[in-house]
Amino acid sequence: MAPPFVFPSSLRDLERNADGDDEGEPSLRPEAPIAVTALRAADLEEFVKGTSFDLSDKELFCIEEQDVFNSVYSLVRDFTCLPPALKFNLVEALRSNLSVLLPNIDSLSRASTLSPSDGIPITDRIASHRNALKIYSFFLLSIVHTQESSADSGTGAKVTTHGRKKNPVYAWNWEAQRGRIMNLVANSLEVDLTLLFGPGGADERYLSFVSKCTFVLFENQNVLKDEETRNGLCRIIGAIATKHQRISQTSASVLHLIHKYDFTVAYLAEAAAAAEKKFGDGSLAISLIREIGRTDPKDYVRDGAGADNVGRFLVELADRLPKLMSTNLGVLIPHFGGESYKIRNSLVGVLGKLAAKAFKDVDGNNSAHSIRLRSKQAMLEILIERCRDVSAYTRSRVLQVWAELCEENAISIGLWNEVASVASGRLEDKSAIVRKSALQLLITMLQHNPFGPQLRTATFDATLEKYKEKLQGMESQSPEEDEPVNDHPLGEVTAGQDESVSDSCLPSSQDQRDQDPMIADITNLEQIRALVASLEAGLRFSTCITSLMPILIQLLASSSATDVENTILLLMRCRQFQVEGSEAALRKMLPLVFSQDKSIYEAVESAFISIYTKRIPTETAKSLINLNIDCSIGDLAAMENLVSSLVLKGEISSSTMSALWDYFCFNINGVRPVQCRGALSILCMAAKSSPSILGSHLQDIVDIGFGRWAKEEPLLARTACLALHRLSEEDKVKLLNTSTRVFAALQSLITSFSLPEKIWYGATEKAISAIYTLHPAPEIFATEIAKKSLSSVFSSLAMDGMSNGAELETQNGSFVSAVSATKLGRFLFVISHIALNHLVYIETSVKKIQKQKPKNDKSQHTNEDSEVDASKNSEAQGINAELGLGATIDIAIESLAEQAEREIVSSSCEKNLIGHCGPFLSKLCRNLTLLQKFPVLHASAKLALCILMIIDAEFCEANLQILFTVAESAPSEIVRSNCTIALGDLAVRFPNLLEPWTEHIYARLGDPSASVRKNAVLVISHLILNDMMKVKGYINEMAVRVEDEDERISSLAKLFFHELSKKGSNPIYNLLPDILSRLCNQHLKEETFRSIMQFLIGSIKKDKQMEALVDKLCNRFAGGNVSDVRQWEYISYCLSQLTYTEKGLKKLIDNFKMFEHALSEDSVMNHFRSVIAKCKKFAKPELKVCIEEFEEKVSKVHEEKKEQEATARNAEAHKQRMGSLDRILVTKEVGQNDGKSAEEEASGEFIDPSVDSNAEDQETGEASGAVDPSVDDSNAEDKETGETSEVADPSVDDRNAEDQETEEASEVTGPSVDDRNAEDEETEEATEAADPSADDGNAEDKENMREHSENISSGKSQTSSTCTELEDGSAEVQSARKPRRGSSRSTLKKMSQPVLEGSADSAAPVVRRSTRSSRRL
């Protein structure tokens, strides 16, 4: 009996431990293996054949024999060196033996119950079978591993066939062999191996080796592409995990593959599903779900690719095993709260798969069915909740899942409107991918709606009312049947019938109602209720879709191409279901043909073809005519672009053109004049790309366009003029030769009054243009028209001396009042447009001459004598070129053209009618008082003035001032709008003349009229974006329009800055600091300023520009008015809106000194906090340290500044309180002095004038007035020092009335103590009422004020003192009251010394010392 075979870790390990296995027991191992690579080709072939013969001729267990084992091991070890034929022989021998061995294992289990027939013990036979199974499996898997490793590395030895031809029977096809081997190994694992390995299960090493090889092969994407091999590998994984109970190890390996290799996800899910189906055990899938559920959600945030793969695996597993997933969903739900949006996306997909597939069966009782319905309802509610997820990707994925559920009819009617409402709300989502998914969901819901092919709200209303009446009648007849049904709300009534009602019943019943509302005669009360519920749901759905039209119109103007494309598709679907408002909304897409995005243009063109082109040409013509009639001017331009393009592509056929001519010529019954005009308009559009279309009906255009139908449809004549202008050159010549009525009709159209006034101007403009296009001598014919128009204006006046222009003077307005203002306005319109067309005619003629010149030169050379030598001709041409004769001719042509242009408006020529009208028009426009009486004449005169200014530079320069005056102050917004548009044309034609007036052009952006502002935005945008005007410092006016109250103007301004940011290196970057500076001085609302700057900063995308802006904005803190808090707030807000890179953040930190002083403001500090919070989000760990240090530094400076401000406020308050105290003391002393003076006067006591205190008071008052003449007005004591002080200080005003009353009261009431106390209280109140913040910024003034108050105090104290006689006969002055605390001894000593009368020197020291004492206080 052979020793047992023990699985090694690898093939080479069999040689490394030949003494036995790890446990010391002997095992089957190779002994002296043969070096196959050293054999010759013939010997090698003989050796392989011999080994194959032994394997096939001997018993299956011969592999246990040492010599056979050694031979097979040697060949397998060097398998890559074998020729293909020998590989095939060896693999076939091993594979066939193993395939024969497997059935013997089953027979062995049966034979184990019987006595052995050959005398061999059953245990030996089992051991031999076990050994053979392991050896064959080991060698086959080793061959697969070796071959795949060599194929991946490309290092396999190249073996030649030594000239022998390859036998086609034994052709080597490794892919097929690999698939057979893996399926054979899978079969071996699926066989009952209990007898071979015992009840404990298969050998652990055997299973580990097979599992290892399997998962290694799973890592090779090329291997998995082979279906047979892939199925074998999936079977092996399922058998090892489920049959052999290696769940945990297999789950770990599977999850490793899922995380690391994205291409294995679908196949591993297939393996788990196959194991559940084959063995009826879903333990592998359950284990994987639970392992995923137990994973920390933060791990999925760190491993984004792994999270994506895990999510896909869960969705695939839910698709294959919906019931198993639904029972284990609870472990995954907590991941909805994780930060990884990829996992949330996958869970949303899982819920969608479960809602569609896990609840389809109807087996079980009613309770089980209700449980399943509740589970499904809970899942759908989670999906609705996830529509408000924080991640745009998750919101988009939820909407996609809802669309999938709609396609599978898995949404009940009870939830249908809730889903529609959620999708409608997501149309305004900030993310484009969410809006795209919402639009696609609504398209799908319309396509699969259960309410019928028509969603008219009125139809649903009418039908619902009928069935409600019928339901009420039936309920009144059988009230006892109402109770069991009415206990449930609407959602629960239809919940039990969701699939049946939504799939079959409702559409068919709705179709019946659409055909005939009275056909559906339902008598069952239950069905009537269900029908009413479904009609109510249909009405809500129709109302919901109808309410979306304004939002869809906004989405048509979205900057995202996907928004526009999907919106057009949704509108087309709405039109298909006849939703109200969809037709009008679709017309809003016409201007999108001018989009530069090719996909948008193609979407519009495709929609236009599908909507307006029909199979029948007459219907196509009718739909185009109806569209043309209701179009605006902008829509007509877009329609013209589309029609001309479709005609060029052949999408609009010639039969449709014939149908349009039938409409125009009234060949179809019931055609109205407006349809006739619409048909001709469409033909003119088609003629833009194919002018020959109009040539077949020239006479009809003249007869109908200018005939009697023109009176019924006023716009028909204008359209006919446009058709004449679009004629081809051949048709123009043909028309002149055949028709003589054309010019007479055009002249009559211009000079007559048959058309209404509003239509006449447009028709006349086209008629004059047609004259200059068709007439061979248009200037002559135009002169006749001008004369006739002039004669109609002045027909009642004498025409003598008209050429001198004497009667065109308008000094008092009497002459203009004598003529018709309407006729004069039309005359000016005709004259101005003739002049403009004449200018175009001159330029066209010059271009024709310049094009004709080379042809004339060629014709002259061909007409020359053939005998002239060619060399002489070339020499003559060279001489002419050197002399510049060709350039001289071009200069002469240009000079003649300039002279002709000047003569249009110039009045130097006596026969020039337009030239004489120029001065008249200029004087008329200056008479604003007269023009305000005639608004129509005012508009015509200003328009004519603008046109003449465009033609002639001198006339323009002479009238620029009046033009700007009118543009700014004209009462009519139409006139101001026309002038604004004309300014744009003038800036293009005469840029040097208009450049000094640039500021006034920008000023039009601030006009009170929205129409003028809109035209100003358009004009300035056109000039700047086309490089016709430089971006000046006044661009801040355009920035203000970003937040204009008119939404249209705001959109145009944003579009301007968006396009401006695309030019060069983004000019907005250079303009932003200047715009910021100017906006700070415009006193805008804070929200307006923030919105403007946020929009402008958002248009800067480059990191370098953002970094440079940090420097520029920080420097602004130190420039200009550094104490302007408002500017600090604005600059710091702009800094908070920037996008910071690491370099930009370092620049901000380096510029700390620039904005340090501004950190005292809380608002500025808040903006810097937002900057720091923003930087922390992207910062690396090493940068976060710098950010934290910067944050601490900023916070510290902010706190210090706050403390300094608080200290300064406290000090200022203290100074004010001390000043008030001084004033109170002075007031009291004055009161006491006045009281004693009154007593002395009453007693009649005589006082020596040498020591008279009153004289001292006067002198002291004079001295104090001389010391500080700039006494503050708010000091009440200035008025109490007497008349002398008032004269000395004329700046004292009388604002403090209370102080004056106090002084007067003190003089009248006398020395009463109570009265003085009252005076003191009144004086204190007056002092407290004074402004405590007066003179905060001037410390010197405050000091002077205190000195002056002390001067007065010293003087008054002397006045209130008493005189005593000393021993030496001198008089001593003693104070009547105690000195104040804090007075110095020197001051008291001075006050006690005698003061001589008239001694100014003796008074001055008192003043100074008193001042020092007050400072000490």
Side-chain angles (χ1 to χ4, degrees), residues 16 116 229 350 415 460-461 475 620 708 783 1006 1402:
R16 293 178 186 138
T229 305
V350 168
L415 278 176
F460 274 101
D461 269 332
E475 287 177 343
T620 302
R708 64 183 183 88
T783 304
S1402 62

Side-chain angles (χ1 to χ4, degrees), residues 1212-1213 1215-1217 1219-1220 1223 1272-1276 1295-1296 1298-1299 1324-1337 1342 1345:
E1212 187 61 34
K1215 290 179 182 179
Q1216 292 172 3
R1217 286 196 298 270
S1220 300
R1223 286 193 293 271
D1272 193 289
D1273 297 346
S1274 61
N1275 295 331
R1295 285 179 296 175
N1296 296 326
E1298 292 181 5
D1299 296 345
E1324 185 176 357
E1325 290 175 359
T1327 305
E1328 292 176 355
D1331 187 4
S1333 62
D1335 296 331
D1336 289 346
K1342 292 180 181 179
M1345 180 183 69

Side-chain angles (χ1 to χ4, degrees), residues 467 470 474 509 512-513 516-524 527-528 531:
Y467 280 99
K470 188 173 182 179
M474 295 180 68
S509 61
Q512 292 176 358
R513 291 193 300 275
D516 188 356
M518 301 306 294
I519 291 178
D521 187 12
I522 302 175
T523 57
N524 190 348
Q527 292 181 352
I528 290 288
L531 185 58

Side-chain angles (χ1 to χ4, degrees), residues 1285-1402:
S1285 297
E1286 292 179 357
V1287 173
D1289 189 4
S1291 63
V1292 177
D1293 67 3
D1294 53 353
R1295 285 179 296 175
N1296 296 326
E1298 292 181 5
D1299 296 345
Q1300 293 177 354
E1301 293 174 359
T1302 304
E1303 180 181 355
E1304 293 171 1
S1306 65
E1307 293 175 355
V1308 174
T1309 56
S1312 174
V1313 177
D1314 296 336
D1315 294 339
R1316 284 199 300 270
N1317 292 336
E1319 285 179 3
D1320 296 343
E1321 292 176 0
E1322 290 178 5
T1323 306
E1324 185 176 357
E1325 290 175 359
T1327 305
E1328 292 176 355
D1331 187 4
S1333 62
D1335 296 331
D1336 289 346
N1338 195 339
E1340 293 182 4
D1341 292 346
K1342 292 180 181 179
E1343 201 68 21
N1344 293 337
M1345 180 183 69
R1346 286 193 292 272
E1347 290 178 2
H1348 185 64
S1349 64
E1350 292 297 330
N1351 295 340
I1352 299 173
S1353 176
S1354 63
K1356 294 304 177 182
S1357 64
Q1358 293 176 15
T1359 304
S1360 61
S1361 63
T1362 60
C1363 294
T1364 59
E1365 187 174 349
L1366 299 177
E1367 293 178 356
D1368 55 359
S1370 61
E1372 182 181 2
V1373 181
Q1374 295 181 354
S1375 176
R1377 58 193 294 258
K1378 295 181 180 180
R1380 295 195 307 271
R1381 177 182 293 181
S1383 299
S1384 64
R1385 293 182 178 179
S1386 60
T1387 304
L1388 297 175
K1389 183 178 180 181
K1390 261 310 185 188
M1391 293 174 63
S1392 64
Q1393 291 176 357
V1395 182
L1396 300 178
E1397 181 180 2
S1399 178
D1401 295 337
S1402 62

Side-chain angles (χ1 to χ4, degrees), residues 393-407:
Y393 298 104
T394 304
R395 296 196 299 273
S396 174
R397 179 61 185 144
V398 173
L399 296 173
Q400 293 172 7
V401 168
W402 279 115
E404 295 170 1
L405 293 176
C406 284
E407 292 175 352

